[in-house]
Amino acid sequence: MSSQSPQQIPQSSAGNTHRRAGTQPNPICRVSDLPPGERRIVEVRSRSIGVFNVHGEYYALRSLCPHQGAPLCRGAITGTARSTAPGEIIWEREGQILRCPWHGWEFDIATGRSVFNPHRLRVRTYDVTVDVTVEQPEPEEEDPSVESFDVTVEDGWVVLHA
């Protein structure tokens, strides 16, 4: 697991009913340490897993290319090209595609499915949530002449469920 793990697991901000049975929460890093377009590769239970921030959404893939076992999550984060007419190329899905560093096989980061053959080839995905620890200030004696407001501090963590 990442060396930046917190001392305790933060409390979840929302339940995820689609989580696989038997998974455990593994805090990866603070949200601010994984900006959009970046990834963090971690070892969880002897598996290399890449955690990605794609335009503010978090995804995780097993870092094992099904073609020849390459460290998939070390590949380039890219997009796809499409053409609607001769000589026209439209670049789309920027930051949503992961290209294997050995042979260039491409996978959708969100689904793990192959770009070339999405119905037959894919890599394993994992659930990722953003959990928060909320600290409430200590209540003070109320003075009716002073108007005060509650303040909370939220410390967001990216948590992998594997």
Side-chain angles (χ1 to χ4, degrees):
M1 194 157 82
S2 170
S3 61
Q4 298 178 349
S5 297
Q7 294 296 321
Q8 63 182 23
I9 297 172
Q11 298 300 308
S12 178
S13 60
N16 183 346
T17 58
H18 295 82
R19 226 172 263 150
R20 291 183 178 106
T23 63
Q24 296 176 350
N26 298 276
I28 302 302
C29 63
R30 294 181 193 279
V31 169
S32 60
D33 293 335
L34 189 60
E38 296 294 321
R39 80 190 105 196
R40 178 77 51 113
I41 300 172
V42 296
E43 291 289 323
V44 176
R45 295 192 300 193
S46 301
R47 287 175 284 181
S48 181
I49 298 172
V51 180
F52 298 82
N53 181 339
V54 179
H55 308 296
E57 298 290 327
Y58 298 90
Y59 303 97
L61 297 174
R62 177 91 186 264
S63 188
L64 183 68
C65 183
H67 177 222
Q68 289 189 344
L72 179 63
C73 293
R74 297 198 183 280
I77 299 171
T78 186
T80 58
R82 142 179 102 81
S83 177
T84 58
E88 178 187 45
I89 298 175
I90 301 167
W91 186 251
E92 54 190 16
R93 303 194 61 209
E94 177 66 39
Q96 299 177 30
I97 305 299
L98 181 62
R99 183 178 300 140
C100 177
W102 287 3
H103 300 109
W105 286 31
E106 294 178 322
F107 297 88
D108 183 315
I109 293 172
T111 65
R113 294 186 181 276
S114 162
V115 172
F116 172 71
N117 192 353
H119 302 292
R120 297 196 54 184
L121 188 63
R122 61 195 251 179
V123 293
R124 179 159 182 196
T125 61
Y126 298 88
D127 295 323
V128 179
T129 60
V130 175
D131 288 355
V132 295
T133 300
V134 178
E135 298 174 20
Q136 297 289 343
E138 291 294 321
E140 297 181 27
E141 292 183 23
E142 292 192 21
D143 180 350
S145 65
V146 177
E147 184 176 12
S148 63
F149 302 92
D150 290 334
V151 176
T152 62
V153 177
E154 295 184 0
D155 188 16
W157 285 87
V158 177
V159 179
L160 168 68
H161 299 273

